[in-house]
Every structure is written in C-alpha cells, then in structure tokens.
Amino acid sequence: MPFIAYLSKRLIALIPTFIGITIISFMVMHLAPGEPIGVQADLNPKMTPEVRERLRALYGLDKPLYVQYWRWLDGLAHLDLGRSFAPDRAPVWNKIKERLPVTILINSLSLGLILLIAVPLGVASAVRQGGLFDKAVTILIFVFYAAPSFWVAIVLMLYLGVDLGWLPVSGLHSLMGYNALSPMQKVLDWTRHLLLPVAVSAMGGLAGLSRYVRSSMLEVLRQDYIMTARAKGLSEHAVIYRHALRNALLPLITILGLSVPGLIGGSVIFESIFAIPGIGQLMWSSVMSRDYPVLMGNLVIVSILTLLGNLLADIGYGLADPRIRTGRHG
Amino acid sequence: MNYIRILLSIIFLFAVQCRLAAAADCPSYGDTIVVGSIGDASTLIPMLASDATSHEIAGLIYDGLVKYDKNLNLVGDLAKSWDVSPDGLTITFHLKKGVKWQDGVEFTAQDVLFGFKVITDPKTPTAYAGDFMEVKTIEAPDPYTIEVTYKRPFAPALSSWGDIVVLPKHLLEGKDITKSPLARNPVGLGPYKLKEWKTQEKIVLEANPDYFEGRACLDRYLMRIIPDPATMFLELKSGGLDWMDLSPIQYERQTNTKFFKKNFKKYKYLSFSYTYLGFNLRFPLFKDKRVRQAIAYAIDKDEIIRGALLGYGVPATGPYKPDAWFYDPDVRRYPYNPQKARALLAEAGWRYVNKDGVLEKDGRPFSFTIITNQGNDVRERTAQIIQYRLKKIGIDVKIRPIEWTALINDFIDKRRFEAVILGWTTGLDPDIYDIFHSSKTGPKELNFIDYKNPELDKLLVEGRETFDKKKRKKIYDRVQEILAEDQPYVFLYVPMALPVINRRFHGIEPAPSGISHNFIRWWVPKDEQKYMTR
Amino acid sequence: MGDKPEVKSTIPKSGRFAWWRSFTKNPLAVAGLLIVGCLIITAILAPVISPYDPQAINTWHILEPPSRAHLLGTDTLGRDCLSRLIYGVRISLLVGIVAVGLATAIGAALGAAAGYYGGMIDTLLMRFVDIMLCFPAIFLIMAVIAFLEPSILNIMVIIGLTGWMGVARLVRAEFMSLRERDFVLAAKLSGASDRRIIFSHILPNAVAPILVSATLGIGGAILTESALSFLGIGVQPPTPSWGNMLTQGKDNIEVAWWLSIFPGLAILIAVLGFNLLGEGLRDALDPRMKRD
C-alpha cells in the first residue's frame, strides 16, 4: 500500500521536528535572564539560601541541563507541564486545557471563512487575470491585509456595537440570563458574539490564501492538459471547474497546515481586544508576568498542534493526490 | 501598612474594607452590578494575592477584625469592640458572636490565631507579614477574645487587623496553603460569596444571605475581565458595564454626552494616594542632593496635572494627602525653574562637553531610565512630560513601562532600576517607617530607593511609638520638612478617583473615604432592575 | 565580487528590460511603486516638511481636532500629529527594511547552503526551517522582547530572526534547480571556490524572488510593529511610530477620531504600497507568470 508507506514516512519525519520544537520551547525558559524560580522565590521575603536550594531541587534546577530537559520531556509525555508560578499554582496543562477549545473554535471558524471567500475570489481573479475585477479584488484583499486588525476591530465595535447596537461589543456569550436560553438561542448568542472576532481574524489571512489560489490556478491553466482540454472544445466552465480547480487546490491543503501558527499568533491581538479567554491571552499574560512554566507549555502545545495540522494536511494531500508523492514537497 | 496594597492604588482598600455598619434593611433587593477589570484575579486567599483584582474580590468575600468607616475612623468589623492597655502594648479584641463561615461553621478567635500563624509562617509566600512581625504574643483566652501584645509601642497596630489575616481554620489546618482549593473556591464570611469563576472571563459573586450585618441589597456582583481599556469603555457605553473608573481624558471629554448624562452618574474625589518619581540612591548619579533638587526644579508639576491629569489632581509636596491632619503645607517647594535647575547641576559639576545637548561629568553623560507600570496611561504620560522637561536642561531620560508583576519582582525587588514612577496609597496613619526608614532597605523591603537619613530614622521610630496626636503631628511635620529638603522622591501629584456608576443604583453616598464604603447598601428600585437573577 | 558573464547569459538579452516594460504596464504595480517612493521621500525630507518638532509637548493644546495650525490635530500631550506621522515614516521604514534585510540575509545564507551542498546539511537546515515554522512568530517575538527591552534595535532584530524561513526555502529551491546547470558545472570544473560559485554564479539568479519576498516582507514587518505597539512592547515613546500612535488613537477613539484615523490609514497605505509593489515585481520578474 503506497499510502501507508507514505504516511509512515511522514510520521517518522515528524519525530525530529517534534524534538526540535521541545528543545526550542525548553530553551526559551533558560534564555530568560535570571533563574525561573526567581519570580516565585522573590514573592517570599523570608527566602533563605536553604529554602532557595530546596526550591531549586524541587524544580530540578540543580541538575544538569540535559537531565532537566529529559524530565520536562517525560512530564510532557504525561501532559504534566509543571505548575504555574501564579499564586494559584495551578497545573499548567489545566490552564491550557481550559483555554484551548475557544481558540481552536475561533480559528477553525475563521479558517473556514477564509476558505469560503478566498477560493472563489482567487479562482475568479485567475480566470479574469489582469481585468478590472482582478485588480479590484487585488486591492480589496490587500487593503484587508494591510489594515491593522486591532484598529479595524475597535472601529467595528464602536460602529456596530455601540453606535448601532446590533452586535455585542466583546465577550464569548451573554453573561446574564445565558443559562436560561434554549440551545438554539445559545447558538445564536454565540454567533452574535463571535461574528466580529471571526471576521477580524479572517481578514488578514484572506490575502495570502486568495493570492495563492490565484497563482496556483494560473499555473494550472497554463498546463498542457488544460490546453488539450480546451483544444478538445470543452466549455471554459468545464475546463476550469472540472479539470483545473481540483489540481489548483491540491497544494492549498499544505498551505492550510502552514497557516495555523499565523492564525494562533493573531489570537493574541483579537482575544485581547474582544476579551476572549483563549490561548493567546494566556500566552500574553504568562509572558508579561514571566510565568515560565505556562509560557513553555503554551509554546510547545501550540507548535505541536501546528505539527498535527501539518500531518493532517499531509494525510489529506496523500488521500487527494492519486500520484501520492514519495519525496518531500512543499 | 502592607506592601503591594500601598504600591498598587487606592480602589480596593476603600472599595472593600469600609462598608457601613448600619444593618438597615434594603428598600428593595435584587439586580446585579457589572464591573470591568483589566486583569483576572489570581487567588482568592487574600494574604497570598498581590494584585488589585484579587483583593477587590476577596475583600467582598472576607471580613477583618476592624475596618474604616466612611469618615475614615477605625470601627469594628468582626470585632465588636476592643481595649488598648494603658502602655499601648496590648490590644484585646472582643469578637462578635454567631458569625458563620459560608459553609455554616461558626467563626471564632481560633480562626484569627490560625490566620496569624499562617501569615507569620516563613513558608507562606505573603507580602503582608511585616506588621505582624511586631507582635510579641497572641492569645485567645476564650472563643470570642483575642489578646495581642506588641514588642514595643506600635501606633499602626490596630489598623493591621483587616481582612488579610482571618482564615477558616477548620478548612485549612494542616494543609499547604499554597495548594489549597480555597484559592479558587473561597469560603469567607463577608457580604458576598463566590458563585462562579471562569478564568479570564468573569467572576460572579452572590449575596451571602447570612451575612452578619444583613444581606447585601444587590443580589450579584459580576466582574468581567476585559484586558483592553478601549474595549472596556465601549462596553460601558453599550450598557455592558455599570461601574468603571475613568481616565481623566474619558472623564473630561467623553462624559458630557446626552447618553452619558442620562445613564450614568459621575463622581470625583481626591484619591488616597500620591504619585512620585523615586531615585535609586545606590547610583552615584543621584547621590548628590543638589542633583535631585535640580530635577525637582526642572519638573513643572502644574504642567503634569494639566497634561496628564487634565486638571483632575493636585500637586504633591510630600508623602501625605493635603487634607490629612498630619499634612504640613509649609515645607520647601520646588516651583518650575529651569534656570535654577541648571545652576544646581553646574554647581554639582555637570557641564556640556560636546554638542549632543546632554550634560556630562567625569566623562559620563547624564542619562537614566525611568520605569513605571505598563497600562497606566496617566503615569506613562507623566513620564513623557518629565522626559521632555529634563531634556531641556541637558538630562537624557528613557522610559520603560513594565507589567506590574515583572516590575515588582524583577526590577523593584532586585533594585534593578535607576528611577521609577510609582504611587503609594496614603494611609490614615502618618506612619511611613516601612518606606523611608534606613532599616527597610533590605531585599523585598519597601525602602527600595535606599534612602538613609539618621535624623529621619529617629523621627520615624518616635512617630510610631507616640500615641499623642499633637506630639505626632510635630514629629511628622519635621519628617515632611526633611523629605522636602532631601527629595529622595520628587513628589508629583495626588490624583482624583473618577468613577462613573449607572444611574439605576441608589444609595451611593460620597464621603471622605470615597463612594464604596456602603457598597452593600446600594440598591436598585424594583422597576429599574435590569438583570433578573431568578 | 568579480564579473559574472554567466549570470547574464541565463537571461536573454532582449528580456533584460522586458520586466520593466511589463512592470510599467501594470497600474497596480506602478501605484505601489509611487506609494513606496513617496514614503522614502517623506522619510528623507522629514525634518524639512514637518511643521513642528514631533516631540514638543504642549499641555495647553492637548487633543485638539485638526485645524489650520495643526492639520491633523494634536495628541494626548499636545504634540502635532502631522509631524509625528511624518517622522513615523522613518521608524516604520527603518523597522521594515532592517528586519527584512536581516531575515533575507539569514534566509539566503541558510537556503544557499542547503540548496548548494544538499545531503545532510540540507536535511538539517530544512528540518530547522520546519521547526521554526511551527511556532507562531508573534509568540517568540513577544517573549523575547518582553524579557529584553522593547528598543527599536531589539524589535528589528527579533522580527528578522523569526522571519527568515520563507526566504530560506525560496533560495534553496532556486539553488537546487541551478546547481546542476551548465554554467555552474563549468565554473566548478574551472576550479572556482564554493564561495565564489554561490555568491557570484548562483545567488544573482535568485535575486528576483528574494526581492519580491523582501518587498512583501517589509509590509509584514510594519504590521508586526503595530501589533507589538498594541501590546505595549513596540517602539517606545516619545519616538513616534505609527504603531504607538495608532495604539494611542485606539485608546481614545471616541474622544479624538483623528488620533486613530491618520496613523491607521498611513499603515494601511504603506503596507498596501509594499504589497502592490511586491506583487507587481513578482508578475514582472517571474517568466512563468507572464501572459502571452
């Protein structure tokens, strides 16, 4: 089965990447000035050298670096990422676990929205390359890309939320009376709240993807078999949608996998402005308060998610491409 | 006086500690007040918390032995009354009977003893142990009496027995407090109890029906976490928030609209705090008094109040608020005078050597960095005005705003700063021993600028051991004179608190302590209630 | 770096200026070029055309709407917004160009090494690229800047250090396709050193795609700076950057519309300009993209 072979090859290729990710995430903690226990130790005015040593031992900081790394990796395997330095001393994984779903939800929605708009736009632009439509679309999506997202967000909040009062300004769902709503009303409530965040987070990603579809489409349209299809007298519609589109969209799967980190990175901004309790805010607050265990945990979890996204893309690609490549691509 | 509480700012001390003792009934019950907060709470065990939000919430859940009333007098809270021995060394608290923890267990003197034990335990990571270290013995002769004896006369003793130190012994004894579930699910004995806490989203409190001073009128207190200040203001305008402290710009420019007048009532009062520019005196740069005085002359306090506070504040001349009984108006002042500043710097040996416009001495340019807490727009703009003015007299200043936790832990506590713009809350007692006494310069202690003046040291000790008001006033007048002369800080301004509250809330009584002293008696008439809780 | 006749030989003589003709026929590309040109001129002439000192505080005139004295109004410390906007061009361009320059240098070097030597070096380097691509760049940027200090230098360097992966892949692909070509083999046979072959024979052929990606990257870097400013760790006041001006505008959006509209539009137009220019260059320089 070539597909199984392909898949196992991809999986094996993931291992070194995974190890690299963990090493870089681990290094971030040790790059920071001072020792990671500094924050915690300083909270205690009665910190004697002995207590400090005990704490160092507790965190394993008295061991050589590779031992520390190994311990941390071992913990990671059990989803034990240590405890936060924040006064609640919560396990890091618990903190990440309660934030992840929201971020994944919003990013999936926004990825869906991007696809929904970018693919038709890209195809239409490619078909009408150089025309007025193509130019208008180009400008429009670049304007979307070029507008700083927090600025657009605040303007939309002001206009749609305050001046017109159509949409809620911020938050995930209504705070009062939410529990009394019927399931249908709850979905509606969520939709109203998430409309702006999803739209704003999709805005920036639109340009990259639709340009990609456009150029990929253009490339395909120049291929011999399209020429042949045209020569055979197939209608332009059939040529484009039956033959060209499928092949043009294939590489898109890989691009989707690669766009995950960018989207999650954008979460820092829009989660903060829309007051959404997701992973971006957790990352930001852990950076600001130098909560190293949470910071490391966040980095490693998000990048592993990206890795999984890439793997899914690979699998999707393998499934979609009858010729299943055996070498590297992308 | 405790650490972060002073550093931070004003709101929670008075938002929480000073509720009116009147056990009157409410004209009507119900409704919810929705407030916004930039950050989430971290822990709801008060002695472990170092952020304003945690204290704000915990203050509604816990009570102390004493509290301030609306006129800033200390009155009993969990304590019915107290006696002070003639030598001033022993305080005997008589506790109220029949007060229950929110799980139904009765509150007794043992809970106070336990809290004291925990807060003075070196293993407890708390910043508030200082005042309790002055205690020599503490005993509970019966379940409703506490006897505290101090090592030496300690004037601020009484006020330290607030809500920081009372803990439910039956739930915590023998357990590691840092890992206690009470941090997330507190059991207190205050007017509200925790109903729901969704991290980074909201904290919902519900009125405690068995509160010993009578149930609060408002059914719920809901705090929304909104990290962005611009979003928070838009939420207020869209009706999503009921109570918010405004920035001077918002207050001045935004609240004159019809919408605002119809829906909100504005309040303003001098806050219990002052903002200062502090110099790290370990640096040779600031060791010379003339240099510090020069900087004071180069800063135009009126300009800062006009530019950064839009007039909502008054100049500070020392570490006290102008309307306090121990305030001394006749200290040395530093009116804006750049010529004098230049002359003082020249006297101290600073000269223009090259043409970059920065003074130099012994080959070292006069350049330093001011750090301040990030997200405080008023302080950041204050820093910029100071930077601009100092540039004019040849001093190069950089500004670095740093997030609160990191600022305290990584910079202030490690003494890794040159100059800092921060604020202290001013207590109702003139004691400032912790901030300016030379013995308080150790790691983590509050005299982080390393200020040492033997005469001041003597006065500060005398001041806290003296109970006579007139004698104390004399002592602290001299304290203020010394500080004004030495300028270890340039005392900048006393800002105003500028809260706005939705008009549907009734019973708000502005008083010397602000507006939140009677929060539990705020109420909404039935027909104006917005949120049905049942 | 010596003569490079072989390089020229890869591009047909007649086509040497064809790209320019094709470029000028594309109105969007020309618009992009004009925008970028205007930005550069503004940056150079900033001290001449600014009506005021961009850092001069005037607390008697804070938050004044646009008027004849202050065409774009004044900010929260009474500084002239127009002058700050003009000086902000310098910061934005500086951040964009230095960050992208660094990213391009790193990316080109690693990409060239990977593509030229292949084998183990290629595998290792490309694995490193894969790893770096798994991290959201903004996470790394904000962690490092918050730990160090948000100086312009740090911001430029760290944006550069997290943005080189695309260039590396691009250059590698170019090298892979060129290293077996006749002119490279000929150079090898004539005993040219690896360094010489890489720098004077192959790299010049990869200039077009590098240029395109760098142009697009500058826009991205300008946006990253504004995002960092939003988080409070961008270019610090009093230095005017469009990012920190826009953040101040956002905080006062209802009080003073002029504080957010103008820097917002400035960022939008500048980024748009660089993107249009980049896309235009791509269309003009990439032979596969040309329409017959």
Side-chain angles (χ1 to χ4, degrees):
Chain A
M1 284 276 279
F3 182 67
I4 302 283
Y6 167 80
L7 194 61
S8 46
K9 206 168 172 181
R10 304 301 305 169
L11 272 173
I12 291 168
L14 284 187
I15 294 171
T17 316
F18 172 77
I19 292 174
I21 286 173
T22 57
I23 291 178
I24 291 185
S25 304
F26 183 75
M27 289 320 280
V28 167
M29 179 159 170
H30 292 269
L31 272 179
E35 275 203 332
I37 53 164
V39 178
Q40 195 186 9
D42 289 340
L43 282 176
N44 190 340
K46 305 282 176 294
M47 180 60 68
T48 58
E50 300 88 72
V51 180
R52 188 177 277 274
E53 272 318 301
R54 216 176 58 206
L55 210 59
R56 275 176 59 96
L58 186 71
Y59 279 91
L61 292 170
D62 52 343
K63 300 273 186 312
L65 214 58
Y66 66 91
V67 177
Q68 293 182 40
Y69 170 68
W70 182 249
R71 280 188 175 190
W72 181 70
L73 205 61
D74 187 49
L76 181 64
H78 308 105
L79 285 175
D80 172 12
L81 296 165
R83 277 173 184 269
S84 160
F85 283 172
D88 64 359
R89 298 283 182 276
V92 172
W93 173 243
N94 287 6
K95 288 199 162 190
I96 294 179
K97 197 171 58 181
E98 63 185 0
R99 307 296 191 85
L100 259 185
V102 175
T103 302
I104 292 181
L105 172 73
I106 294 181
N107 282 315
S108 317
L109 287 174
S110 108
L111 202 56
L113 187 66
I114 291 176
L115 277 180
L116 215 63
I117 300 174
V119 171
L121 268 191
V123 171
S125 298
V127 172
R128 283 161 236 191
Q129 189 201 7
L132 194 64
F133 176 82
D134 183 25
K135 288 199 174 69
V137 167
T138 305
I139 292 186
L140 191 73
I141 59 164
F142 277 147
V143 165
F144 279 174
Y145 168 80
S149 58
F150 67 91
W151 179 52
V152 177
I154 201 96
V155 170
L156 289 177
M157 279 156 82
L158 176 60
Y159 187 65
L160 296 175
V162 178
D163 291 352
L164 295 176
W166 289 353
L167 292 173
V169 171
S170 67
L172 268 182
H173 56 77
S174 299
L175 291 173
M176 303 302 296
Y178 173 74
N179 291 329
L181 298 177
S182 69
M184 202 49 221
Q185 285 170 311
K186 277 186 185 168
V187 171
L188 191 72
D189 190 59
W190 275 74
T191 312
R192 279 166 43 83
H193 279 84
L194 291 187
L195 213 57
L196 285 183
V198 168
V200 169
S201 97
M203 226 177 59
L206 209 55
L209 228 60
S210 77
R211 292 309 282 179
Y212 191 87
V213 172
R214 177 181 178 271
S215 63
S216 166
M217 192 74 186
L218 283 177
E219 192 131 335
V220 172
L221 285 177
R222 267 196 304 270
Q223 300 288 323
D224 290 343
Y225 64 92
I226 297 291
M227 304 286 186
T228 319
R230 280 208 180 108
K232 277 201 297 196
L234 282 178
S235 76
E236 194 63 20
H237 189 269
V239 170
I240 291 167
Y241 292 100
R242 214 169 299 151
H243 296 268
L245 189 59
R246 189 185 146 88
N247 287 313
L249 292 190
L250 212 51
L252 195 67
I253 302 175
T254 319
I255 298 293
L256 280 185
L258 282 174
S259 64
V260 173
L263 277 172
I264 295 187
S267 307
V268 177
I269 307 288
F270 74 77
E271 282 178 7
S272 167
I273 199 141
F274 286 108
I276 291 169
I279 211 83
Q281 269 204 55
L282 183 65
M283 182 68 193
W284 177 230
S285 64
S286 68
V287 164
M288 291 313 268
S289 57
R290 285 149 168 78
D291 191 344
Y292 300 114
V294 175
L295 201 160
M296 271 170 43
N298 244 328
L299 267 181
V300 80
I301 295 291
V302 165
S303 44
I304 288 174
L305 276 183
T306 311
L307 207 58
L308 291 180
N310 288 345
L311 181 68
L312 280 180
D314 277 340
I315 295 174
Y317 197 95
L319 286 175
D321 188 346
R323 291 162 298 169
I324 302 171
R325 297 191 188 171
T326 44
R328 305 183 37 84
H329 64 83
Chain B
M1 285 226 204
N2 46 51
Y3 183 0
I4 313 273
R5 173 167 285 210
I6 303 171
L7 269 168
L8 255 178
S9 86
I10 23 160
I11 323 154
F12 60 90
L13 216 165
F14 298 98
V16 232
Q17 289 206 321
C18 344
R19 284 177 306 267
L20 197 65
D25 275 345
C26 301
S28 74
Y29 290 91
D31 212 354
T32 300
I33 188 160
V34 185
V35 304
S37 168
I38 299 261
D40 200 0
S42 57
T43 170
L44 294 183
I45 297 177
M47 67 174 69
L48 300 185
S50 58
D51 58 292
T53 310
S54 298
H55 281 289
E56 200 170 331
I57 297 288
L60 289 167
I61 298 175
Y62 296 92
D63 269 34
L65 297 185
V66 296
K67 64 182 176 186
Y68 289 111
D69 73 359
K70 64 174 181 179
N71 295 316
L72 302 170
N73 301 310
L74 269 178
V75 297
D77 192 0
L78 289 166
K80 189 169 60 191
S81 62
W82 60 85
D83 313 308
V84 181
S85 66
D87 61 1
L89 285 175
T90 303
I91 308 173
T92 309
F93 292 102
H94 305 288
L95 304 184
K96 285 179 185 158
K97 291 180 187 168
V99 176
K100 294 231 164 66
W101 289 99
Q102 286 158 2
D103 61 358
V105 175
E106 196 184 3
F107 158 79
T108 68
Q110 288 304 315
D111 295 318
V112 184
L113 283 193
F114 177 73
F116 175 82
K117 212 177 87 197
V118 175
I119 205 167
T120 51
D121 182 342
K123 285 203 286 294
T124 305
T126 178
Y128 311 112
D131 285 352
F132 300 99
M133 296 316 236
E134 293 290 320
V135 173
K136 192 164 90 188
T137 59
I138 179 166
E139 277 162 56
D142 65 71
Y144 305 106
T145 311
I146 303 263
E147 262 179 40
V148 196
T149 307
Y150 284 81
K151 294 172 186 161
R152 49 185 163 257
F154 187 56
L158 198 51
S159 61
S160 66
W161 293 92
D163 61 10
I164 294 281
V165 73
V166 180
L167 284 177
K169 184 182 182 185
H170 63 285
L171 295 173
L172 281 166
E173 188 163 38
K175 297 189 180 131
D176 180 357
I177 191 164
T178 60
K179 298 202 173 105
S180 168
L182 262 64
R184 276 306 283 203
N185 295 295
V187 173
L189 32 64
Y192 284 87
K193 54 185 182 186
L194 185 73
K195 175 159 171 64
E196 190 187 5
W197 180 0
K198 283 194 136 175
T199 312
Q200 274 290 321
E201 192 178 346
K202 62 176 175 181
I203 298 173
V204 187
L205 303 181
E206 197 172 45
N208 173 9
D210 306 318
Y211 184 51
F212 63 91
E213 286 185 358
R215 183 184 188 281
C217 307
L218 298 172
D219 273 351
R220 286 189 186 172
Y221 175 98
L222 192 156
M223 175 182 278
R224 282 199 57 191
I225 320 299
I226 303 175
D228 191 275
T231 307
M232 200 189 290
F233 190 60
L234 292 185
E235 273 291 355
L236 182 82
K237 284 199 76 176
S238 73
L241 293 180
D242 295 322
W243 180 9
M244 179 177 168
D245 280 315
L246 296 187
S247 75
I249 292 180
Q250 289 165 339
Y251 196 89
E252 171 75 17
R253 300 285 182 107
Q254 259 301 294
T255 50
N256 301 319
T257 60
K258 236 166 71 191
F259 168 85
F260 241 96
K261 287 190 175 132
K262 195 174 135 235
N263 290 291
F264 290 95
K265 194 158 164 58
K266 306 199 283 182
Y267 300 87
K268 67 171 183 203
Y269 48 89
L270 268 193
S271 70
F272 289 82
S273 70
Y274 66 89
T275 301
Y276 61 87
L277 169 68
F279 307 106
N280 189 343
L281 302 176
R282 284 172 196 78
F283 283 89
L285 199 56
F286 301 119
K287 280 220 157 77
D288 191 330
K289 186 168 86 182
R290 286 169 300 187
V291 169
R292 304 195 298 266
Q293 288 173 338
I295 292 175
Y297 276 120
I299 294 173
D300 185 352
K301 290 178 192 172
D302 293 328
E303 182 185 37
I304 291 174
I305 288 164
R306 188 168 61 237
L309 294 167
L310 282 86
Y312 292 103
V314 297
T317 58
Y320 302 128
K321 210 179 146 195
D323 54 6
W325 60 265
F326 37 82
Y327 177 77
D328 178 8
D330 306 318
V331 297
R332 175 167 179 186
R333 291 180 186 236
Y334 297 83
Y336 177 58
N337 190 340
Q339 287 78 25
K340 206 157 178 177
R342 281 196 195 95
L344 279 165
L345 286 172
E347 221 182 289
W350 291 93
R351 304 262 182 280
Y352 288 105
V353 175
N354 47 26
K355 289 223 166 87
D356 63 355
V358 179
L359 292 167
E360 274 185 35
K361 184 182 171 180
D362 308 330
R364 190 191 179 286
F366 201 146
S367 163
F368 65 94
T369 301
I370 298 178
I371 60 173
T372 188
N373 55 318
Q374 190 173 49
N376 190 321
D377 184 46
V378 172
R379 283 189 193 155
E380 284 178 32
R381 278 187 292 138
T382 302
Q384 288 188 52
I385 296 175
I386 291 175
Q387 176 185 48
Y388 181 66
R389 285 296 158 200
L390 293 189
K391 197 176 168 190
K392 301 237 151 164
I393 60 161
I395 300 176
D396 171 49
V397 175
K398 291 183 191 65
I399 301 170
R400 184 168 177 203
I402 300 164
E403 192 270 343
W404 181 255
T405 333
L407 179 79
I408 299 304
N409 293 330
D410 290 356
F411 293 87
I412 300 290
D413 283 349
K414 297 206 173 112
R415 313 302 192 238
R416 276 174 42 200
F417 68 96
E418 291 166 302
V420 60
I421 294 182
L422 274 180
W424 290 112
T425 51
T426 50
L428 302 164
D429 188 281
D431 180 36
I432 43 173
Y433 180 89
D434 285 326
I435 302 174
F436 292 109
H437 194 273
S438 65
S439 70
K440 290 291 178 184
T441 54
K444 288 287 292 178
E445 291 184 309
L446 301 189
N447 187 353
F448 47 75
I449 58 162
D450 206 39
Y451 176 59
K452 288 173 180 154
N453 182 320
E455 192 195 347
L456 190 90
D457 280 358
K458 245 176 59 202
L459 289 165
L460 289 177
V461 173
E462 229 177 290
R464 71 192 331 208
E465 289 177 0
T466 307
F467 290 92
D468 182 85
K469 208 168 169 176
K470 265 201 194 121
K471 278 189 203 149
R472 284 194 96 191
K473 163 96 175 126
K474 249 209 180 112
I475 295 170
Y476 286 105
D477 279 355
R478 181 68 195 135
V479 164
Q480 290 168 75
E481 278 168 28
I482 294 174
L483 288 174
E485 175 66 26
D486 275 2
Q487 292 287 307
Y489 290 172
V490 176
F491 299 94
L492 297 171
Y493 54 80
V494 178
M496 278 180 170
L498 305 167
V500 292
I501 300 173
N502 193 296
R503 280 192 185 274
R504 73 177 194 278
F505 296 94
H506 291 62
I508 303 168
E509 294 171 16
S513 70
I515 52 168
S516 17
H517 57 91
N518 69 335
F519 174 69
I520 64 166
R521 290 293 159 247
W522 292 6
W523 58 281
V524 181
K526 273 273 177 267
D527 55 335
E528 287 178 45
Q529 292 192 359
K530 183 173 171 191
Y531 302 110
M532 298 302 141
T533 44
R534 258 164 275 274
Chain C
M1 269 253 172
D3 54 343
K4 32 189 169 178
E6 298 92 341
V7 173
K8 285 172 186 163
S9 71
T10 60
I11 300 173
K13 274 257 185 279
S14 62
R16 274 180 64 193
F17 292 100
W19 73 270
W20 175 248
R21 256 176 272 129
S22 136
F23 182 87
T24 46
K25 265 190 233 153
N26 180 349
L28 294 186
V30 173
L33 185 66
L34 281 178
I35 293 173
V36 172
C38 285
L39 290 175
I40 293 172
I41 292 170
T42 312
I44 293 170
L45 295 181
V48 183
I49 52 179
S50 298
Y52 297 88
D53 171 0
Q55 304 193 3
I57 284 171
N58 185 342
T59 50
W60 295 108
H61 295 280
I62 65 171
L63 292 173
E64 282 184 0
S67 65
R68 195 162 295 175
H70 297 279
L71 286 177
L72 302 185
T74 62
D75 74 358
T76 53
L77 286 172
R79 296 173 295 209
D80 180 56
C81 288
L82 177 60
S83 307
R84 291 181 72 72
L85 206 64
I86 291 171
Y87 273 88
V89 181
R90 289 185 159 189
I91 302 298
S92 290
L93 288 187
L94 183 73
V95 169
I97 289 168
V98 174
V100 168
L102 184 66
T104 307
I106 298 174
L110 296 187
Y116 183 75
Y117 295 108
M120 200 56 196
I121 295 176
D122 181 37
T123 313
L124 279 178
L125 286 175
M126 283 305 110
R127 194 62 69 203
F128 186 43
V129 168
D130 287 346
I131 293 166
M132 288 298 289
L133 281 173
C134 279
F135 291 102
I138 190 94
F139 278 24
L140 294 177
I141 294 173
M142 68 192 197
V144 175
I145 291 181
F147 290 157
L148 299 176
E149 187 182 355
S151 67
I152 297 183
L153 183 71
N154 283 344
I155 290 168
M156 295 185 306
V157 168
I158 187 68
I159 293 180
L161 285 179
T162 53
W164 52 269
M165 291 83 77
V167 184
R169 286 190 158 180
L170 239 152
V171 172
R172 172 180 172 268
E174 205 71 25
F175 268 67
M176 301 260 279
S177 73
L178 290 178
R179 72 173 175 204
E180 303 301 327
R181 293 274 277 277
D182 291 346
F183 69 92
V184 176
L185 294 177
K188 265 190 189 163
L189 284 178
S190 67
S193 68
D194 281 356
R195 215 180 72 184
R196 190 180 155 87
I197 296 174
I198 291 176
F199 284 104
S200 30
H201 295 274
I202 310 186
L203 203 55
N205 289 283
V207 161
I210 293 177
L211 193 67
V212 170
S213 103
T215 314
L216 295 173
I218 293 177
I222 293 174
L223 282 176
T224 305
E225 193 280 322
S226 79
L228 291 178
S229 280
F230 167 78
L231 295 171
I233 53 172
V235 175
Q236 296 297 309
T239 309
S241 86
W242 290 348
N244 66 33
M245 292 176 71
L246 185 59
T247 302
Q248 192 193 64
K250 175 215 54 157
D251 288 338
N252 297 293
I253 187 149
E254 287 190 277
V255 184
W257 55 269
W258 59 94
L259 279 185
S260 50
I261 292 296
F262 299 121
L265 284 178
I267 294 175
L268 196 153
I269 290 170
V271 176
L272 185 67
F274 278 105
N275 277 294
L276 291 178
L277 178 63
E279 288 281 317
L281 283 176
R282 187 206 306 273
D283 285 351
L285 289 170
D286 186 348
R288 284 171 303 163
M289 278 301 185
K290 247 169 257 152
R291 226 154 95 105
D292 341 318

